[in-house]
Amino acid sequence: MRSRLALLDVTRLVAALMVVFYHYTAWHHSNWGPENASEAWPLLSRITTFGNLGVPLFFIVSGFVILLSSYGRRPSQFIGSRVGRLFPAYWVGVLATGILVFFIWADAGDKLTYADWAVNFTMFQSAADVPDIDGVYWTLWAEMRFYGWILLLMLLGWLTPGRMIAFAGLWPVAGILADAAGLEALDTVLMKQHAPLFAGGIALFLIFRFGHTPLRWIVLGTNVALSAFFTGKRVSGEVESLVGYTIAPEVYWPIVVALFALLAGMTLTRARDWSIPGATTAGALTYPVYLLHQMWGWWLIGILAPVLPRPVTLAVVVALVLVAAFAVHRAVERPYGRTLSEKVTQGLDWAGERFSAAAAGLRPALLRRTG
């Protein structure tokens, strides 16, 4: 990502930390003691319960950033960049979490099998109806389906401003119609609840890259409204079942609108040119923080909470997660991510060339046979 969009890097880390504090101090685990986390943190949890909005914020940013980083690239480059970006840190996360839940904290993995662990390394476990070894990995399946749509548009040659704004407008509507028609398989592909978030990010990118038009703002506004409605409905129910607080869906509507407004302010005003020290590092830490924080964090809380004051335990665990994320970035993502990306891209280009050559060789024979 270009340095002039440094605010996006900071925002991504803030979104990850929102999720971290939500899982540590609001989610209904009892690692702080006999009571649930929200009872252990009765005041703080009233704020951090809104941390589950970090995920919708991720999806909005992803809709923008994926277009920013993939526009003008070949499909092989897009696939290579996504593999190199996602998998090295993810494999570390799956390996580390598996070690924890199978060999250290066995109670946390009592419903998992070694086969589940193996399938999780593919990142397609949700497609195979296999449980995530870490609950936060569900968002990666949503991201993968979004990438699939972008790849399809690239293959069709439809990654143009006109067709992309049409896609951003029609995709969420198609998801709503598929759900209303009871087409469950199609709804899985169209992602009714998450599509407006990604599509809203796409619309913002098109305004950022190609300028303001009434149609682009109409599509953006429509997706903001749909995102507010579906996100409010989803996270309200989640908070009631997983935290124990009753928050009306309408409470989330202006917050979701504010998230879009925040991103618009960062990308469509002079704020996009701000230079922020440490922003690149913040962006680099985001993904490994998200991957590593939940299971290992809960285990550390259970170890430290009986012997340290709760605020100290919370600070230590968050600090350890940040250190671990930095280590993963420096030791794994930096040395192996770009190499993996290049190898995948080269492999796909080679396969494409061989396929094209084989197809060209078959064409004269087919013409002679049909002639």
mmCIF file of all heavy atoms in Angstrom, residues 44-89:
data_model
loop_
_atom_site.group_PDB
_atom_site.id
_atom_site.type_symbol
_atom_site.label_atom_id
_atom_site.label_comp_id
_atom_site.label_asym_id
_atom_site.label_seq_id
_atom_site.Cartn_x
_atom_site.Cartn_y
_atom_site.Cartn_z
ATOM 1 N N LEU A 44 -15.408 -1.632 31.668
ATOM 2 C CA LEU A 44 -14.691 -1.651 30.392
ATOM 3 C C LEU A 44 -15.464 -2.415 29.322
ATOM 4 O O LEU A 44 -15.495 -2.022 28.151
ATOM 5 C CB LEU A 44 -13.305 -2.276 30.584
ATOM 6 C CG LEU A 44 -12.404 -2.316 29.345
ATOM 7 C CD1 LEU A 44 -12.118 -0.904 28.834
ATOM 8 C CD2 LEU A 44 -11.106 -3.048 29.657
ATOM 9 N N SER A 45 -16.122 -3.494 29.713
ATOM 10 C CA SER A 45 -16.826 -4.315 28.725
ATOM 11 C C SER A 45 -17.984 -3.570 28.082
ATOM 12 O O SER A 45 -18.410 -3.918 26.975
ATOM 13 C CB SER A 45 -17.334 -5.609 29.372
ATOM 14 O OG SER A 45 -18.289 -5.336 30.393
ATOM 15 N N ARG A 46 -18.506 -2.547 28.753
ATOM 16 C CA ARG A 46 -19.584 -1.751 28.156
ATOM 17 C C ARG A 46 -19.076 -1.009 26.918
ATOM 18 O O ARG A 46 -19.842 -0.682 26.015
ATOM 19 C CB ARG A 46 -20.121 -0.736 29.178
ATOM 20 C CG ARG A 46 -20.870 -1.375 30.329
ATOM 21 C CD ARG A 46 -22.215 -1.912 29.866
ATOM 22 N NE ARG A 46 -22.932 -2.610 30.939
ATOM 23 C CZ ARG A 46 -24.137 -3.128 30.805
ATOM 24 N NH1 ARG A 46 -24.773 -3.021 29.640
ATOM 25 N NH2 ARG A 46 -24.704 -3.769 31.798
ATOM 26 N N ILE A 47 -17.758 -0.755 26.893
ATOM 27 C CA ILE A 47 -17.135 -0.101 25.737
ATOM 28 C C ILE A 47 -16.605 -1.139 24.756
ATOM 29 O O ILE A 47 -16.874 -1.079 23.556
ATOM 30 C CB ILE A 47 -15.989 0.828 26.200
ATOM 31 C CG1 ILE A 47 -16.532 1.911 27.127
ATOM 32 C CG2 ILE A 47 -15.278 1.448 24.993
ATOM 33 C CD1 ILE A 47 -15.461 2.739 27.791
ATOM 34 N N THR A 48 -15.875 -2.115 25.275
ATOM 35 C CA THR A 48 -15.226 -3.081 24.389
ATOM 36 C C THR A 48 -16.215 -4.035 23.734
ATOM 37 O O THR A 48 -15.854 -4.715 22.777
ATOM 38 C CB THR A 48 -14.162 -3.888 25.154
ATOM 39 O OG1 THR A 48 -14.779 -4.558 26.282
ATOM 40 C CG2 THR A 48 -13.057 -2.978 25.662
ATOM 41 N N THR A 49 -17.451 -4.080 24.222
ATOM 42 C CA THR A 49 -18.441 -4.914 23.543
ATOM 43 C C THR A 49 -18.694 -4.424 22.121
ATOM 44 O O THR A 49 -19.149 -5.184 21.257
ATOM 45 C CB THR A 49 -19.758 -4.943 24.343
ATOM 46 O OG1 THR A 49 -20.589 -5.975 23.845
ATOM 47 C CG2 THR A 49 -20.495 -3.618 24.244
ATOM 48 N N PHE A 50 -18.375 -3.148 21.848
ATOM 49 C CA PHE A 50 -18.492 -2.617 20.493
ATOM 50 C C PHE A 50 -17.273 -2.966 19.637
ATOM 51 O O PHE A 50 -17.230 -2.617 18.450
ATOM 52 C CB PHE A 50 -18.691 -1.099 20.525
ATOM 53 C CG PHE A 50 -20.045 -0.685 21.035
ATOM 54 C CD1 PHE A 50 -20.229 -0.392 22.384
ATOM 55 C CD2 PHE A 50 -21.138 -0.604 20.186
ATOM 56 C CE1 PHE A 50 -21.477 -0.015 22.866
ATOM 57 C CE2 PHE A 50 -22.394 -0.231 20.662
ATOM 58 C CZ PHE A 50 -22.563 0.059 22.006
ATOM 59 N N GLY A 51 -16.311 -3.653 20.234
ATOM 60 C CA GLY A 51 -15.121 -4.045 19.491
ATOM 61 C C GLY A 51 -15.399 -5.044 18.390
ATOM 62 O O GLY A 51 -14.576 -5.220 17.482
ATOM 63 N N ASN A 52 -16.571 -5.709 18.446
ATOM 64 C CA ASN A 52 -16.896 -6.637 17.360
ATOM 65 C C ASN A 52 -17.139 -5.913 16.035
ATOM 66 O O ASN A 52 -17.215 -6.550 14.983
ATOM 67 C CB ASN A 52 -18.087 -7.520 17.721
ATOM 68 C CG ASN A 52 -19.360 -6.737 18.005
ATOM 69 O OD1 ASN A 52 -19.360 -5.510 18.046
ATOM 70 N ND2 ASN A 52 -20.446 -7.447 18.230
ATOM 71 N N LEU A 53 -17.224 -4.587 16.076
ATOM 72 C CA LEU A 53 -17.327 -3.812 14.838
ATOM 73 C C LEU A 53 -15.979 -3.708 14.126
ATOM 74 O O LEU A 53 -15.906 -3.173 13.007
ATOM 75 C CB LEU A 53 -17.869 -2.411 15.130
ATOM 76 C CG LEU A 53 -19.355 -2.362 15.511
ATOM 77 C CD1 LEU A 53 -19.739 -0.964 15.976
ATOM 78 C CD2 LEU A 53 -20.223 -2.782 14.341
ATOM 79 N N GLY A 54 -14.924 -4.205 14.767
ATOM 80 C CA GLY A 54 -13.631 -4.235 14.091
ATOM 81 C C GLY A 54 -13.666 -5.085 12.837
ATOM 82 O O GLY A 54 -12.985 -4.788 11.845
ATOM 83 N N VAL A 55 -14.452 -6.165 12.842
ATOM 84 C CA VAL A 55 -14.532 -7.043 11.670
ATOM 85 C C VAL A 55 -15.210 -6.338 10.498
ATOM 86 O O VAL A 55 -14.680 -6.352 9.371
ATOM 87 C CB VAL A 55 -15.223 -8.371 12.019
ATOM 88 C CG1 VAL A 55 -15.529 -9.173 10.760
ATOM 89 C CG2 VAL A 55 -14.341 -9.186 12.955
ATOM 90 N N PRO A 56 -16.394 -5.720 10.664
ATOM 91 C CA PRO A 56 -16.941 -4.950 9.545
ATOM 92 C C PRO A 56 -15.988 -3.874 9.031
ATOM 93 O O PRO A 56 -15.916 -3.636 7.814
ATOM 94 C CB PRO A 56 -18.212 -4.325 10.141
ATOM 95 C CG PRO A 56 -18.623 -5.263 11.223
ATOM 96 C CD PRO A 56 -17.333 -5.776 11.799
ATOM 97 N N LEU A 57 -15.258 -3.252 9.938
ATOM 98 C CA LEU A 57 -14.277 -2.255 9.501
ATOM 99 C C LEU A 57 -13.205 -2.902 8.637
ATOM 100 O O LEU A 57 -12.788 -2.342 7.617
ATOM 101 C CB LEU A 57 -13.659 -1.566 10.720
ATOM 102 C CG LEU A 57 -12.607 -0.493 10.443
ATOM 103 C CD1 LEU A 57 -13.149 0.576 9.506
ATOM 104 C CD2 LEU A 57 -12.131 0.141 11.751
ATOM 105 N N PHE A 58 -12.740 -4.101 9.015
ATOM 106 C CA PHE A 58 -11.800 -4.853 8.185
ATOM 107 C C PHE A 58 -12.359 -5.056 6.778
ATOM 108 O O PHE A 58 -11.657 -4.886 5.780
ATOM 109 C CB PHE A 58 -11.539 -6.241 8.791
ATOM 110 C CG PHE A 58 -10.438 -6.288 9.801
ATOM 111 C CD1 PHE A 58 -10.638 -6.912 11.015
ATOM 112 C CD2 PHE A 58 -9.191 -5.739 9.545
ATOM 113 C CE1 PHE A 58 -9.629 -6.985 11.966
ATOM 114 C CE2 PHE A 58 -8.170 -5.800 10.477
ATOM 115 C CZ PHE A 58 -8.382 -6.429 11.692
ATOM 116 N N PHE A 59 -13.620 -5.454 6.697
ATOM 117 C CA PHE A 59 -14.205 -5.775 5.399
ATOM 118 C C PHE A 59 -14.323 -4.522 4.522
ATOM 119 O O PHE A 59 -14.101 -4.587 3.309
ATOM 120 C CB PHE A 59 -15.572 -6.430 5.583
ATOM 121 C CG PHE A 59 -15.530 -7.824 6.149
ATOM 122 C CD1 PHE A 59 -16.672 -8.411 6.681
ATOM 123 C CD2 PHE A 59 -14.358 -8.563 6.141
ATOM 124 C CE1 PHE A 59 -16.638 -9.712 7.185
ATOM 125 C CE2 PHE A 59 -14.309 -9.855 6.653
ATOM 126 C CZ PHE A 59 -15.459 -10.427 7.177
ATOM 127 N N ILE A 60 -14.685 -3.391 5.124
ATOM 128 C CA ILE A 60 -14.758 -2.147 4.354
ATOM 129 C C ILE A 60 -13.382 -1.787 3.800
ATOM 130 O O ILE A 60 -13.223 -1.483 2.609
ATOM 131 C CB ILE A 60 -15.291 -0.992 5.220
ATOM 132 C CG1 ILE A 60 -16.696 -1.287 5.734
ATOM 133 C CG2 ILE A 60 -15.301 0.313 4.422
ATOM 134 C CD1 ILE A 60 -17.173 -0.314 6.811
ATOM 135 N N VAL A 61 -12.378 -1.829 4.668
ATOM 136 C CA VAL A 61 -11.015 -1.509 4.248
ATOM 137 C C VAL A 61 -10.545 -2.495 3.186
ATOM 138 O O VAL A 61 -9.878 -2.116 2.215
ATOM 139 C CB VAL A 61 -10.068 -1.512 5.463
ATOM 140 C CG1 VAL A 61 -8.615 -1.352 5.014
ATOM 141 C CG2 VAL A 61 -10.438 -0.389 6.429
ATOM 142 N N SER A 62 -10.899 -3.767 3.352
ATOM 143 C CA SER A 62 -10.490 -4.777 2.381
ATOM 144 C C SER A 62 -11.072 -4.489 1.008
ATOM 145 O O SER A 62 -10.381 -4.612 -0.014
ATOM 146 C CB SER A 62 -10.931 -6.169 2.854
ATOM 147 O OG SER A 62 -10.479 -7.174 1.971
ATOM 148 N N GLY A 63 -12.346 -4.093 0.951
ATOM 149 C CA GLY A 63 -12.951 -3.753 -0.328
ATOM 150 C C GLY A 63 -12.190 -2.660 -1.047
ATOM 151 O O GLY A 63 -12.044 -2.686 -2.280
ATOM 152 N N PHE A 64 -11.691 -1.706 -0.285
ATOM 153 C CA PHE A 64 -10.901 -0.608 -0.855
ATOM 154 C C PHE A 64 -9.492 -1.067 -1.231
ATOM 155 O O PHE A 64 -9.023 -0.860 -2.349
ATOM 156 C CB PHE A 64 -10.833 0.538 0.158
ATOM 157 C CG PHE A 64 -10.103 1.756 -0.345
ATOM 158 C CD1 PHE A 64 -10.820 2.830 -0.864
ATOM 159 C CD2 PHE A 64 -8.718 1.853 -0.292
ATOM 160 C CE1 PHE A 64 -10.162 3.961 -1.326
ATOM 161 C CE2 PHE A 64 -8.054 2.974 -0.760
ATOM 162 C CZ PHE A 64 -8.775 4.034 -1.271
ATOM 163 N N VAL A 65 -8.822 -1.705 -0.290
ATOM 164 C CA VAL A 65 -7.406 -2.007 -0.455
ATOM 165 C C VAL A 65 -7.159 -3.075 -1.515
ATOM 166 O O VAL A 65 -6.182 -3.000 -2.273
ATOM 167 C CB VAL A 65 -6.794 -2.429 0.900
ATOM 168 C CG1 VAL A 65 -5.397 -2.992 0.716
ATOM 169 C CG2 VAL A 65 -6.774 -1.242 1.853
ATOM 170 N N ILE A 66 -8.012 -4.088 -1.581
ATOM 171 C CA ILE A 66 -7.802 -5.148 -2.572
ATOM 172 C C ILE A 66 -7.888 -4.578 -3.982
ATOM 173 O O ILE A 66 -7.104 -4.945 -4.862
ATOM 174 C CB ILE A 66 -8.816 -6.292 -2.372
ATOM 175 C CG1 ILE A 66 -8.584 -6.966 -1.022
ATOM 176 C CG2 ILE A 66 -8.687 -7.317 -3.491
ATOM 177 C CD1 ILE A 66 -7.170 -7.457 -0.806
ATOM 178 N N LEU A 67 -8.818 -3.651 -4.216
ATOM 179 C CA LEU A 67 -8.870 -3.000 -5.524
ATOM 180 C C LEU A 67 -7.641 -2.125 -5.744
ATOM 181 O O LEU A 67 -7.073 -2.090 -6.842
ATOM 182 C CB LEU A 67 -10.148 -2.167 -5.642
ATOM 183 C CG LEU A 67 -11.355 -2.829 -6.318
ATOM 184 C CD1 LEU A 67 -11.064 -3.069 -7.786
ATOM 185 C CD2 LEU A 67 -11.726 -4.130 -5.647
ATOM 186 N N LEU A 68 -7.213 -1.434 -4.696
ATOM 187 C CA LEU A 68 -6.048 -0.565 -4.808
ATOM 188 C C LEU A 68 -4.799 -1.352 -5.186
ATOM 189 O O LEU A 68 -3.993 -0.915 -6.006
ATOM 190 C CB LEU A 68 -5.825 0.157 -3.468
ATOM 191 C CG LEU A 68 -4.628 1.103 -3.379
ATOM 192 C CD1 LEU A 68 -4.831 2.304 -4.302
ATOM 193 C CD2 LEU A 68 -4.424 1.566 -1.936
ATOM 194 N N SER A 69 -4.644 -2.545 -4.600
ATOM 195 C CA SER A 69 -3.436 -3.329 -4.827
ATOM 196 C C SER A 69 -3.502 -4.239 -6.044
ATOM 197 O O SER A 69 -2.466 -4.707 -6.518
ATOM 198 C CB SER A 69 -3.134 -4.178 -3.582
ATOM 199 O OG SER A 69 -4.190 -5.095 -3.332
ATOM 200 N N SER A 70 -4.710 -4.501 -6.562
ATOM 201 C CA SER A 70 -4.843 -5.454 -7.663
ATOM 202 C C SER A 70 -5.179 -4.801 -8.996
ATOM 203 O O SER A 70 -5.070 -5.455 -10.035
ATOM 204 C CB SER A 70 -5.931 -6.491 -7.327
ATOM 205 O OG SER A 70 -7.198 -5.873 -7.210
ATOM 206 N N TYR A 71 -5.565 -3.547 -8.980
ATOM 207 C CA TYR A 71 -5.987 -2.895 -10.221
ATOM 208 C C TYR A 71 -4.807 -2.822 -11.190
ATOM 209 O O TYR A 71 -3.729 -2.346 -10.856
ATOM 210 C CB TYR A 71 -6.524 -1.490 -9.936
ATOM 211 C CG TYR A 71 -7.602 -1.077 -10.898
ATOM 212 C CD1 TYR A 71 -8.918 -1.428 -10.679
ATOM 213 C CD2 TYR A 71 -7.295 -0.354 -12.051
ATOM 214 C CE1 TYR A 71 -9.926 -1.072 -11.561
ATOM 215 C CE2 TYR A 71 -8.285 0.012 -12.937
ATOM 216 C CZ TYR A 71 -9.596 -0.348 -12.697
ATOM 217 O OH TYR A 71 -10.585 0.006 -13.567
ATOM 218 N N GLY A 72 -5.015 -3.314 -12.396
ATOM 219 C CA GLY A 72 -3.963 -3.310 -13.405
ATOM 220 C C GLY A 72 -3.069 -4.525 -13.373
ATOM 221 O O GLY A 72 -2.156 -4.640 -14.197
ATOM 222 N N ARG A 73 -3.309 -5.458 -12.459
ATOM 223 C CA ARG A 73 -2.495 -6.671 -12.378
ATOM 224 C C ARG A 73 -3.127 -7.799 -13.182
ATOM 225 O O ARG A 73 -4.320 -7.800 -13.463
ATOM 226 C CB ARG A 73 -2.345 -7.120 -10.922
ATOM 227 C CG ARG A 73 -1.424 -6.256 -10.086
ATOM 228 C CD ARG A 73 -1.174 -6.914 -8.753
ATOM 229 N NE ARG A 73 -0.156 -6.228 -7.973
ATOM 230 C CZ ARG A 73 0.361 -6.694 -6.826
ATOM 231 N NH1 ARG A 73 -0.075 -7.857 -6.348
ATOM 232 N NH2 ARG A 73 1.282 -6.027 -6.183
ATOM 233 N N ARG A 74 -2.269 -8.774 -13.527
ATOM 234 C CA ARG A 74 -2.763 -9.992 -14.158
ATOM 235 C C ARG A 74 -3.378 -10.895 -13.096
ATOM 236 O O ARG A 74 -3.027 -10.811 -11.912
ATOM 237 C CB ARG A 74 -1.625 -10.750 -14.845
ATOM 238 C CG ARG A 74 -0.862 -9.945 -15.880
ATOM 239 C CD ARG A 74 0.101 -10.830 -16.660
ATOM 240 N NE ARG A 74 0.941 -11.648 -15.799
ATOM 241 C CZ ARG A 74 2.077 -11.248 -15.246
ATOM 242 N NH1 ARG A 74 2.503 -10.001 -15.460
ATOM 243 N NH2 ARG A 74 2.792 -12.061 -14.491
ATOM 244 N N PRO A 75 -4.297 -11.789 -13.492
ATOM 245 C CA PRO A 75 -4.869 -12.719 -12.518
ATOM 246 C C PRO A 75 -3.807 -13.520 -11.765
ATOM 247 O O PRO A 75 -3.951 -13.750 -10.568
ATOM 248 C CB PRO A 75 -5.754 -13.627 -13.391
ATOM 249 C CG PRO A 75 -6.166 -12.766 -14.529
ATOM 250 C CD PRO A 75 -4.977 -11.891 -14.813
ATOM 251 N N SER A 76 -2.755 -13.957 -12.463
ATOM 252 C CA SER A 76 -1.697 -14.720 -11.789
ATOM 253 C C SER A 76 -1.008 -13.887 -10.722
ATOM 254 O O SER A 76 -0.653 -14.399 -9.650
ATOM 255 C CB SER A 76 -0.670 -15.217 -12.800
ATOM 256 O OG SER A 76 -0.046 -14.129 -13.485
ATOM 257 N N GLN A 77 -0.823 -12.603 -10.996
ATOM 258 C CA GLN A 77 -0.213 -11.715 -9.996
ATOM 259 C C GLN A 77 -1.139 -11.529 -8.800
ATOM 260 O O GLN A 77 -0.678 -11.465 -7.658
ATOM 261 C CB GLN A 77 0.112 -10.365 -10.625
ATOM 262 C CG GLN A 77 1.229 -10.406 -11.655
ATOM 263 C CD GLN A 77 1.427 -9.062 -12.324
ATOM 264 O OE1 GLN A 77 0.461 -8.408 -12.760
ATOM 265 N NE2 GLN A 77 2.672 -8.608 -12.400
ATOM 266 N N PHE A 78 -2.429 -11.419 -9.079
ATOM 267 C CA PHE A 78 -3.392 -11.257 -7.995
ATOM 268 C C PHE A 78 -3.385 -12.479 -7.090
ATOM 269 O O PHE A 78 -3.312 -12.355 -5.861
ATOM 270 C CB PHE A 78 -4.789 -11.025 -8.572
ATOM 271 C CG PHE A 78 -5.875 -10.966 -7.531
ATOM 272 C CD1 PHE A 78 -5.977 -9.882 -6.679
ATOM 273 C CD2 PHE A 78 -6.790 -12.002 -7.404
ATOM 274 C CE1 PHE A 78 -6.975 -9.823 -5.716
ATOM 275 C CE2 PHE A 78 -7.787 -11.956 -6.446
ATOM 276 C CZ PHE A 78 -7.885 -10.859 -5.603
ATOM 277 N N ILE A 79 -3.456 -13.664 -7.678
ATOM 278 C CA ILE A 79 -3.450 -14.893 -6.876
ATOM 279 C C ILE A 79 -2.142 -15.008 -6.102
ATOM 280 O O ILE A 79 -2.134 -15.319 -4.907
ATOM 281 C CB ILE A 79 -3.655 -16.122 -7.774
ATOM 282 C CG1 ILE A 79 -5.031 -16.090 -8.429
ATOM 283 C CG2 ILE A 79 -3.500 -17.406 -6.960
ATOM 284 C CD1 ILE A 79 -5.243 -17.163 -9.477
ATOM 285 N N GLY A 80 -1.029 -14.756 -6.787
ATOM 286 C CA GLY A 80 0.265 -14.838 -6.115
ATOM 287 C C GLY A 80 0.378 -13.879 -4.950
ATOM 288 O O GLY A 80 0.875 -14.241 -3.877
ATOM 289 N N SER A 81 -0.111 -12.656 -5.133
ATOM 290 C CA SER A 81 -0.024 -11.670 -4.054
ATOM 291 C C SER A 81 -0.868 -12.071 -2.862
ATOM 292 O O SER A 81 -0.467 -11.897 -1.708
ATOM 293 C CB SER A 81 -0.447 -10.291 -4.566
ATOM 294 O OG SER A 81 -1.843 -10.245 -4.843
ATOM 295 N N ARG A 82 -2.047 -12.643 -3.123
ATOM 296 C CA ARG A 82 -2.918 -13.053 -2.019
ATOM 297 C C ARG A 82 -2.336 -14.254 -1.280
ATOM 298 O O ARG A 82 -2.389 -14.316 -0.047
ATOM 299 C CB ARG A 82 -4.310 -13.386 -2.547
ATOM 300 C CG ARG A 82 -5.124 -12.198 -3.064
ATOM 301 C CD ARG A 82 -5.331 -11.148 -2.001
ATOM 302 N NE ARG A 82 -4.270 -10.165 -1.956
ATOM 303 C CZ ARG A 82 -3.970 -9.427 -0.905
ATOM 304 N NH1 ARG A 82 -4.619 -9.576 0.232
ATOM 305 N NH2 ARG A 82 -3.002 -8.546 -0.942
ATOM 306 N N VAL A 83 -1.795 -15.220 -2.018
ATOM 307 C CA VAL A 83 -1.184 -16.384 -1.371
ATOM 308 C C VAL A 83 0.011 -15.950 -0.530
ATOM 309 O O VAL A 83 0.152 -16.347 0.634
ATOM 310 C CB VAL A 83 -0.760 -17.431 -2.425
ATOM 311 C CG1 VAL A 83 0.066 -18.545 -1.777
ATOM 312 C CG2 VAL A 83 -1.994 -18.030 -3.101
ATOM 313 N N GLY A 84 0.878 -15.117 -1.101
ATOM 314 C CA GLY A 84 2.050 -14.667 -0.360
ATOM 315 C C GLY A 84 1.708 -13.801 0.829
ATOM 316 O O GLY A 84 2.426 -13.811 1.833
ATOM 317 N N ARG A 85 0.613 -13.072 0.726
ATOM 318 C CA ARG A 85 0.214 -12.194 1.836
ATOM 319 C C ARG A 85 -0.471 -12.961 2.956
ATOM 320 O O ARG A 85 -0.259 -12.688 4.136
ATOM 321 C CB ARG A 85 -0.732 -11.094 1.303
ATOM 322 C CG ARG A 85 -1.284 -10.163 2.382
ATOM 323 C CD ARG A 85 -0.186 -9.291 2.940
ATOM 324 N NE ARG A 85 -0.685 -8.460 4.012
ATOM 325 C CZ ARG A 85 -0.656 -8.788 5.305
ATOM 326 N NH1 ARG A 85 -0.160 -9.957 5.667
ATOM 327 N NH2 ARG A 85 -1.124 -7.957 6.219
ATOM 328 N N LEU A 86 -1.307 -13.923 2.606
ATOM 329 C CA LEU A 86 -2.153 -14.568 3.605
ATOM 330 C C LEU A 86 -1.538 -15.803 4.249
ATOM 331 O O LEU A 86 -1.664 -16.008 5.458
ATOM 332 C CB LEU A 86 -3.500 -14.956 2.974
ATOM 333 C CG LEU A 86 -4.428 -13.828 2.542
ATOM 334 C CD1 LEU A 86 -5.701 -14.406 1.953
ATOM 335 C CD2 LEU A 86 -4.761 -12.901 3.695
ATOM 336 N N PHE A 87 -0.906 -16.658 3.468
ATOM 337 C CA PHE A 87 -0.633 -17.992 3.968
ATOM 338 C C PHE A 87 0.567 -18.125 4.915
ATOM 339 O O PHE A 87 0.479 -18.909 5.873
ATOM 340 C CB PHE A 87 -0.502 -18.980 2.804
ATOM 341 C CG PHE A 87 -1.829 -19.476 2.319
ATOM 342 C CD1 PHE A 87 -2.475 -18.848 1.265
ATOM 343 C CD2 PHE A 87 -2.468 -20.541 2.942
ATOM 344 C CE1 PHE A 87 -3.723 -19.284 0.826
ATOM 345 C CE2 PHE A 87 -3.708 -20.989 2.509
ATOM 346 C CZ PHE A 87 -4.336 -20.356 1.455
ATOM 347 N N PRO A 88 1.700 -17.451 4.719
ATOM 348 C CA PRO A 88 2.816 -17.700 5.649
ATOM 349 C C PRO A 88 2.453 -17.461 7.116
ATOM 350 O O PRO A 88 2.683 -18.327 7.972
ATOM 351 C CB PRO A 88 3.891 -16.723 5.154
ATOM 352 C CG PRO A 88 3.614 -16.586 3.690
ATOM 353 C CD PRO A 88 2.120 -16.598 3.580
ATOM 354 N N ALA A 89 1.881 -16.296 7.425
ATOM 355 C CA ALA A 89 1.495 -16.017 8.816
ATOM 356 C C ALA A 89 0.354 -16.922 9.252
ATOM 357 O O ALA A 89 0.305 -17.355 10.416
ATOM 358 C CB ALA A 89 1.098 -14.549 8.967
#
